[in-house]
Amino acid sequence: MKKIVSYFACLFLIFSCTDRDKDGQGPIKNQDKYQTKNVILLVVDGPRISETWEEPTRKYIPNRVNLLNQGVFISNFKNNGATLTNPGHSALCSGVYENLQNNGTELPGYPSIMQQWLKQTGADKKKAWIIASKDKLEILNNCKLSSWKDKFQPSTDCGINGNGSGYREDAVTVDRVKSIMGQYSPNIIVINLKDVDSNGHAHNANNNNWNGYINAIKATDTSIKDIWNHIQSLPAYKDKTTLIVSNDHGRHLDSHGGFAEHGDDCAGCRHIEFFAMGPDFKKNAIINTGNYEQIDVASTIAELLGMPLEYAKGKVIRDVFK
């Protein structure tokens, strides 16, 4: 009799666990497969690769060059969708290319990695954040899909005070990142730094802003080092956090109008950065194999966090793992 009771008790536990997995609630499978427990995606808005990793001496990104001994760089990484701010950020977060309005009036069609992680873990919304210099990127905390709209929304700190309030300087955003990390210890953070893009757009017939654009690239490079050092200074993050640096888009080749604008399918707009550091990734590695692209980032984050990802069209970037 005791054996029969034990048998049915085991069956009950198995079916209970199965139901929790179906609903997406409860513990995530394989969450201990990797050392990474936190992922920070830092999106540098709109540098052209010819002024960063493909500048012959890499003189504008000295901190990333030095950090490469701790990380991995993909030399042929692409945005194969719309080369604009909101579509680019959305593709990075959801793994789906969409032609979204670029002014913050249109939500992504599909839930982001943040929404799906919040649902699957049952974590508090303060454990996932979008921290952006551009206010219009507040849209990343929601989507149009009816079963997800207004549900499982990550926390936001975007622009001066949310969508419609205006942009803010990157220095403010970096300070907010540090403050939020210290206060809430989020497991997922998406950061937007906009100064490179803003300075690029400021170049026109009446204003030669090449120096402003280059200085913003250098300042952003310093911010990347600053954020990485801050990660390593906090017990909640040290040696268990992956930092991924990428772009929403590049900028036009000189033959397509030059660095002031972006938005077409020229190589300057499509060729973007993938640089990453973390306990599960290769070190001092440059990868030029594979056909990796923007929508692969969400799938790679999901792999690191041991979670299934719905809707995403990308693949896991296997070549960057140890």
Side-chain angles (χ1 to χ4, degrees), residues 58 64-73 275-277 281-287:
R58 296 179 179 168
R64 300 219 275 297
V65 170
N66 290 333
L67 288 170
L68 182 59
N69 65 5
Q70 301 178 55
V72 57
F73 170 67
F275 172 65
M277 298 175 288
F281 284 177
K282 293 174 180 174
K283 299 182 186 300
N284 199 27
I286 295 177
I287 293 167

Side-chain angles (χ1 to χ4, degrees), residues 71-91:
V72 57
F73 170 67
I74 299 176
S75 64
N76 59 343
F77 200 69
K78 301 290 175 61
N79 171 352
N80 289 322
T83 56
L84 297 167
T85 297
N86 283 31
H89 280 80
S90 178

Side-chain angles (χ1 to χ4, degrees), residues 201-212:
H201 286 306
H203 179 87
N204 55 50
N206 301 313
N207 177 29
N208 185 341
N209 202 42
W210 174 260
N211 288 337

